[in-house]
Amino acid sequence: MSRIFNFCAGPATLPTAVLERAGGELADWHGTGMSIMEMSHRSKEFVGVAEKAEQDLRDLMGIPDNYKVLFMQGGASSQFTMIPMNLLRGGSKADYINTGQWSTKAIKEAKRFCEVNVAASTEGNNFTSAPSQAELNLSPDAAYVHYTPNETIGGVEFDYVPDTGDVPLVADYSSSILSEAIDVSKFGLIYAGAQKNIGPAGLCVVIVREDLLGNTIEGTPTMFDYKVAADNGSMYNTPPTYSWYLAGLVFEWLKEQGGVEAMAELNRRKAEKLYGFIDTNDFYANPVAKNNRSRMNVPFTLADAGLDKTFLAESEQAGLMNLAGHRSVGGMRASIYNAVPEDGVDALIAFMADFAKRHG
Amino acid sequence: MSRIFNFCAGPATLPTAVLERAGGELADWHGTGMSIMEMSHRSKEFVGVAEKAEQDLRDLMGIPDNYKVLFMQGGASSQFTMIPMNLLRGGSKADYINTGQWSTKAIKEAKRFCEVNVAASTEGNNFTSAPSQAELNLSPDAAYVHYTPNETIGGVEFDYVPDTGDVPLVADYSSSILSEAIDVSKFGLIYAGAQKNIGPAGLCVVIVREDLLGNTIEGTPTMFDYKVAADNGSMYNTPPTYSWYLAGLVFEWLKEQGGVEAMAELNRRKAEKLYGFIDTNDFYANPVAKNNRSRMNVPFTLADAGLDKTFLAESEQAGLMNLAGHRSVGGMRASIYNAVPEDGVDALIAFMADFAKRHG
């Protein structure tokens, strides 16, 4: 097999070792004569896979015992609805911090269910920074505070965890979960669509403090009730078993790599190399405030946008795939999640240097 | 690889040829150096896979042009909510036919959103039959009529499609879709969780008549709005790409087998053999009315329930897996979906005959 370097923002590249293992055992899992995807979710085999995945995630993130881990369907976009439905708990107001397109989508959906106080927004600078703690206008009566630690499209990442006092903090960690150690106890709820740092699309991991469960708004779909999911071990209905299994393989792989601490070190090195190159080469630019630059998603522009198509064509020829920026913003974007090896970043930088020399 | 015969009700067995192909190309799809699950859902490669899957399904089922095909997440259980949310269209009442545990779950969820008229129920005979057309007490002012053509747990199947006049007919075809030809134009909406006759768990196919879209109740989650899904080609958010791809492989395989007509003939033969054996052997019994016996799920009991564990242990030894009945009813159940080969049914009957001889 000849694998390329894939910088897609999501669905994103997965560890080659995970894919080779999954391919090898797809049709016959551990000599059972069945695929893991053909097994009942209630079989001892699959329950073993599911429980190990949860335990490995708990180990990797140091998730406290008073937090439930849910493996849900629907992606992060479904969470935009589930969060107000579950976390308003009789309240009528929530704080949202707006740092880009994903925050904006979360706000739009929440407004259908409650009053939203935008506690801070960096729309004024075209979402090229995150607000500081001092800039947050938090409401004392908010049911929760929602923010997006890393904005996949703008490439903006918070360099701190907001302090919200006793108000539960809710974080859309879709694009940076497992990329570094975080203190879960600071959060009321963490959610993450799988298709960046966890596994294939079609799975969403939710980590939620137990005391927040059990008080949904009227009309909440049963499948959107966290307590129903928690009480049934994420098996109120048939869960996406194959995606859950693949997530488990990724968690195992992460442990083998040294866990999130090792990933954080690798990710820091990868990002520093790439931003360092961009900052010292006049042909490329990144607009984000230096302390808010995403370690996961690195957007950049060429000095001459007329060369974008040439850049994309030549980079593909060089085996560097999916570098086009999001369709809403254009330019380039290199997503360098956990599974993108340092070699990939080195190859990208070498290509970018050569391209600038030839076209600059 | 040594494959066994898997009679699991779901997640269920998939065609061996599909699994072998998927395993072989898991880490490198068509020489791209990427897995299909690592590709953007908006890439030309994945869009090609997605569109072909939809077209193949349209071809297989003869889906008219005025029907949308949606590839959604959440399983059939999410549809239990989406149906009233989308199809009440200003109405306040819906008819439901109750033929077993899945109908009952659908009714329970619908009652949270509207008045439910149970147009017929066979609970009185412990769900061992389906009502006839004459037994349906349909409401003239119902927004829709919901039924379950095949009950997976009880093994009860309608031998006709209810005539509901101008009231849209909604069918949970999770366990019998693609097992025979159906006239889609008789339905307002058909839905089917993938994990029986379509592919892996985590995908739900919805086939809906266009004119029913666009009038949801207040508070419908954006991700539960069929029109949003339809207007965005099931890509309002990131869809479960790998499950969609696998469904497409199953649709291709079905076409190679001769389509649903060939499947219907094979399924009829498999079911006739198995019921025929059960009816002529005093050691086994099936309680369902003969004209309502499911071609997909065949529950049966042993003359001595004390032998159930022995039966299960010995059948596993013989490579006949997952024959235990649903945890709510006990006994045995052989699910013989499209992907269970006739050889599997023959092997099961041979084992059952031998077991009865030794223990009867």
Side-chain angles (χ1 to χ4, degrees):
Chain A
M1 184 186 74
S2 166
R3 295 261 301 167
I4 48 66
F5 294 119
N6 178 7
F7 299 96
C8 190
T13 198
L14 291 166
T16 300
V18 165
L19 294 173
E20 288 179 342
R21 179 171 162 193
E25 66 188 29
L26 189 140
D28 183 11
W29 185 80
H30 294 197
T32 57
M34 287 181 269
S35 176
I36 191 77
M37 74 176 80
E38 298 177 298
M39 292 185 194
S40 168
H41 50 298
R42 303 195 192 279
S43 65
K44 66 178 186 306
E45 292 86 356
F46 183 75
V47 169
V49 165
E51 288 179 350
K52 182 173 188 309
E54 177 178 336
Q55 190 56 54
D56 282 347
L57 182 61
R58 285 185 176 275
D59 295 346
L60 284 163
M61 294 183 68
I63 299 171
D65 288 345
N66 62 325
Y67 285 73
K68 295 287 188 184
V69 175
L70 311 178
F71 289 81
M72 303 190 82
Q73 301 192 49
S77 294
S78 289
Q79 299 302 320
F80 295 164
T81 320
M82 287 189 221
I83 286 160
M85 282 183 154
N86 284 270
L87 298 191
L88 283 170
R89 294 164 298 130
S92 59
K93 190 179 189 181
D95 284 349
Y96 277 73
I97 304 173
N98 191 0
T99 51
Q101 291 198 31
W102 291 108
S103 305
T104 303
K105 279 200 167 190
I107 290 168
K108 188 178 168 204
E109 187 73 3
K111 279 185 175 168
R112 302 179 55 219
F113 303 95
C114 65
E115 181 189 340
V116 169
N117 169 52
V118 178
S121 172
T122 54
E123 194 169 4
N125 65 28
N126 203 21
F127 296 127
T128 54
S129 70
S132 67
Q133 174 77 40
E135 291 171 306
L136 305 180
N137 294 308
L138 301 173
S139 322
D141 57 340
Y144 61 87
V145 180
H146 179 281
Y147 85 121
T148 312
N150 182 73
E151 286 277 357
T152 320
I153 294 173
V156 172
E157 189 171 14
F158 278 74
D159 59 346
Y160 70 102
V161 174
D163 180 355
T164 57
D166 289 338
V167 179
L169 179 62
V170 176
D172 177 358
Y173 258 107
S174 292
S175 48
S176 55
I177 194 168
L178 293 165
S179 70
E180 65 179 346
I182 58 174
D183 180 353
V184 174
S185 72
K186 290 183 175 173
F187 298 85
L189 187 148
I190 288 169
Y191 65 102
Q195 67 270 18
K196 290 132 188 336
N197 262 335
I198 293 177
L203 179 73
C204 189
V205 170
V206 176
I207 302 161
V208 58
R209 220 175 61 208
E210 282 174 344
D211 63 284
L212 300 174
L213 303 179
N215 189 354
T216 56
I217 66 172
E218 202 184 319
T220 300
T222 299
M223 290 285 293
F224 271 25
D225 186 333
Y226 292 138
K227 187 161 195 309
V228 171
D231 287 349
N232 290 280
S234 303
M235 294 193 192
Y236 173 77
N237 79 332
T238 311
T241 52
Y242 196 66
S243 304
W244 194 334
Y245 150 82
L246 284 170
L249 294 190
V250 171
F251 299 154
E252 270 189 44
W253 176 84
L254 282 170
K255 283 186 145 183
E256 288 160 14
Q257 307 306 304
V260 290
E261 293 77 11
M263 278 296 131
E265 173 58 23
L266 174 66
N267 289 327
R268 188 192 54 74
R269 223 163 47 223
K270 282 153 51 183
E272 278 181 4
K273 274 186 182 178
L274 186 48
Y275 286 113
F277 169 77
I278 289 170
D279 285 344
T280 53
N281 189 306
D282 289 345
F283 191 76
Y284 301 101
N286 168 284
V288 178
K290 288 200 176 176
N291 63 318
N292 295 133
R293 282 174 164 179
S294 167
R295 298 161 305 117
M296 296 288 102
N297 311 98
V298 183
F300 59 92
T301 52
L302 314 191
D304 176 4
L307 287 168
D308 282 2
K309 280 188 182 169
T310 311
F311 183 93
L312 288 170
E314 290 190 9
S315 57
E316 281 199 17
Q317 284 293 323
L320 305 166
M321 311 302 283
N322 298 315
L323 285 163
H326 189 268
R327 60 207 159 97
S328 65
V329 294
M332 304 298 152
R333 175 176 50 171
S335 292
I336 51 176
Y337 300 119
N338 284 343
V340 173
E342 193 165 3
D343 286 355
V345 174
D346 292 339
L348 173 60
I349 292 170
F351 169 80
M352 287 170 71
D354 180 62
F355 188 88
K357 198 177 292 175
R358 287 185 288 110
H359 296 281
Chain B
M1 184 188 74
S2 164
R3 296 261 300 165
I4 49 64
F5 294 119
N6 178 6
F7 299 95
C8 191
T13 199
L14 291 166
T16 301
V18 164
L19 294 173
E20 288 179 343
R21 179 171 163 193
E25 67 188 28
L26 189 140
D28 183 10
W29 185 80
H30 294 197
T32 57
M34 287 181 269
S35 176
I36 190 77
M37 74 176 80
E38 297 178 299
M39 293 186 193
S40 169
H41 51 297
R42 303 195 190 280
S43 65
K44 67 177 186 304
E45 292 86 355
F46 183 74
V47 169
V49 165
E51 288 178 349
K52 182 173 188 309
E54 177 178 337
Q55 189 57 53
D56 282 347
L57 182 63
R58 285 184 176 276
D59 295 346
L60 284 163
M61 293 184 66
I63 300 172
D65 288 345
N66 63 325
Y67 284 73
K68 295 286 189 184
V69 175
L70 310 178
F71 290 82
M72 304 191 82
Q73 300 191 50
S77 293
S78 289
Q79 299 302 320
F80 296 163
T81 321
M82 287 189 219
I83 285 160
M85 281 182 155
N86 284 270
L87 297 191
L88 283 170
R89 294 163 297 130
S92 59
K93 190 179 189 180
D95 284 349
Y96 277 73
I97 304 173
N98 191 1
T99 50
Q101 291 199 31
W102 292 107
S103 305
T104 303
K105 279 199 167 192
I107 289 168
K108 189 178 166 202
E109 188 73 4
K111 280 184 174 169
R112 303 179 55 217
F113 302 97
C114 65
E115 181 189 341
V116 169
N117 170 51
V118 178
S121 172
T122 54
E123 195 170 4
N125 65 29
N126 203 20
F127 297 128
T128 54
S129 70
S132 67
Q133 175 77 41
E135 291 171 306
L136 304 179
N137 293 309
L138 301 172
S139 321
D141 58 342
Y144 60 87
V145 180
H146 179 282
Y147 85 120
T148 312
N150 183 74
E151 286 277 358
T152 320
I153 294 173
V156 172
E157 188 170 14
F158 278 76
D159 58 346
Y160 71 101
V161 174
D163 180 356
T164 58
D166 289 339
V167 179
L169 179 61
V170 175
D172 176 357
Y173 257 107
S174 293
S175 49
S176 56
I177 194 169
L178 293 165
S179 70
E180 65 178 345
I182 58 174
D183 181 353
V184 174
S185 72
K186 290 184 176 174
F187 298 85
L189 186 147
I190 288 169
Y191 64 103
Q195 67 270 16
K196 289 135 187 335
N197 262 335
I198 293 177
L203 179 73
C204 188
V205 170
V206 176
I207 301 162
V208 58
R209 219 174 63 209
E210 282 174 346
D211 63 284
L212 299 176
L213 303 179
N215 188 357
T216 56
I217 66 172
E218 202 184 319
T220 300
T222 300
M223 290 286 293
F224 271 25
D225 186 333
Y226 292 138
K227 186 161 196 308
V228 171
D231 288 349
N232 290 279
S234 303
M235 294 193 192
Y236 173 77
N237 78 332
T238 310
T241 52
Y242 195 67
S243 304
W244 194 334
Y245 150 83
L246 284 170
L249 294 190
V250 172
F251 299 154
E252 272 189 43
W253 176 83
L254 281 171
K255 281 185 149 184
E256 288 160 15
Q257 307 307 304
V260 290
E261 292 78 10
M263 278 296 131
E265 173 58 23
L266 174 65
N267 289 329
R268 186 192 56 74
R269 221 162 49 222
K270 282 152 53 183
E272 278 181 5
K273 275 186 181 178
L274 186 48
Y275 285 113
F277 170 76
I278 290 170
D279 286 344
T280 53
N281 190 306
D282 288 345
F283 191 76
Y284 301 101
N286 168 283
V288 178
K290 287 200 175 175
N291 63 318
N292 295 135
R293 282 173 164 182
S294 167
R295 299 161 305 117
M296 297 286 103
N297 311 98
V298 183
F300 60 91
T301 52
L302 314 190
D304 176 4
L307 287 168
D308 282 2
K309 280 189 181 167
T310 310
F311 184 93
L312 288 170
E314 290 190 9
S315 57
E316 282 199 15
Q317 285 291 325
L320 306 166
M321 312 300 283
N322 297 317
L323 285 163
H326 189 269
R327 61 207 159 97
S328 65
V329 293
M332 304 297 150
R333 176 176 49 171
S335 293
I336 49 175
Y337 300 118
N338 284 342
V340 173
E342 192 165 3
D343 286 354
V345 174
D346 292 338
L348 173 60
I349 292 170
F351 169 80
M352 288 170 71
D354 180 60
F355 187 88
K357 198 177 294 176
R358 286 184 290 109
H359 296 280

